[in-house]
Amino acid sequence: FLEVVFEVAAPGDGLGTVLGAVNVTTNHVMLVKQGADMWMKPALYLAVGDQMMDRAGTPVTIRKINTFTKGTKFIFRTSDGLAVVNEIQTTAFCDITPFRDGELTAIEKENVLC
């Protein structure tokens, strides 16, 4: 598993930042901002400095990635394959590896859900 730690604006007056995190399997499909576009990328290929989007569509920057072992995982589905987890936009795609060598793939909502 990976703990992806990101920096977001502090709640309230919007001044300052706080750290948040999501825990995902290495092959969970994450949404990553590149320029004006959002792309899919397996969590294994995330890097410090990559940007994701929060619930409101504001970019958040990955500050740290930790690895850990866990015996169980939670699998969920959504009608369009997208979800907001711990205030971060992500997918409900997991254990799917349609990627080659970290190549990014454009978002396609009709992908099979895990």
Side-chain angles (χ1 to χ4, degrees), residues 29-113:
V29 180
M30 303 296 288
L31 297 176
V32 179
K33 182 175 175 17
Q34 287 195 334
D37 298 320
M38 294 296 292
W39 294 83
M40 291 179 164
K41 187 178 193 179
L44 177 65
Y45 297 109
L46 293 174
V48 171
D50 280 352
Q51 289 193 318
M52 301 180 295
M53 301 292 271
D54 70 8
R55 177 186 298 271
T58 304
V60 298
T61 302
I62 296 175
R63 294 295 180 208
K64 189 165 138 181
I65 300 172
N66 301 309
T67 60
F68 66 97
T69 302
K70 186 173 180 178
T72 60
K73 66 181 177 179
F74 177 75
I75 297 174
F76 65 96
R77 296 175 187 224
T78 64
S79 61
D80 65 1
L82 301 175
V84 174
V85 177
N86 292 353
E87 297 303 311
I88 294 298
Q89 295 181 30
T90 189
T91 74
F93 309 135
C94 59
D95 298 330
I96 298 173
T97 50
F99 306 94
R100 294 183 313 253
D101 302 324
E103 179 181 321
L104 299 179
T105 305
I107 297 172
E108 296 178 2
K109 288 186 180 181
E110 59 271 10
N111 284 345
V112 176
L113 299 179

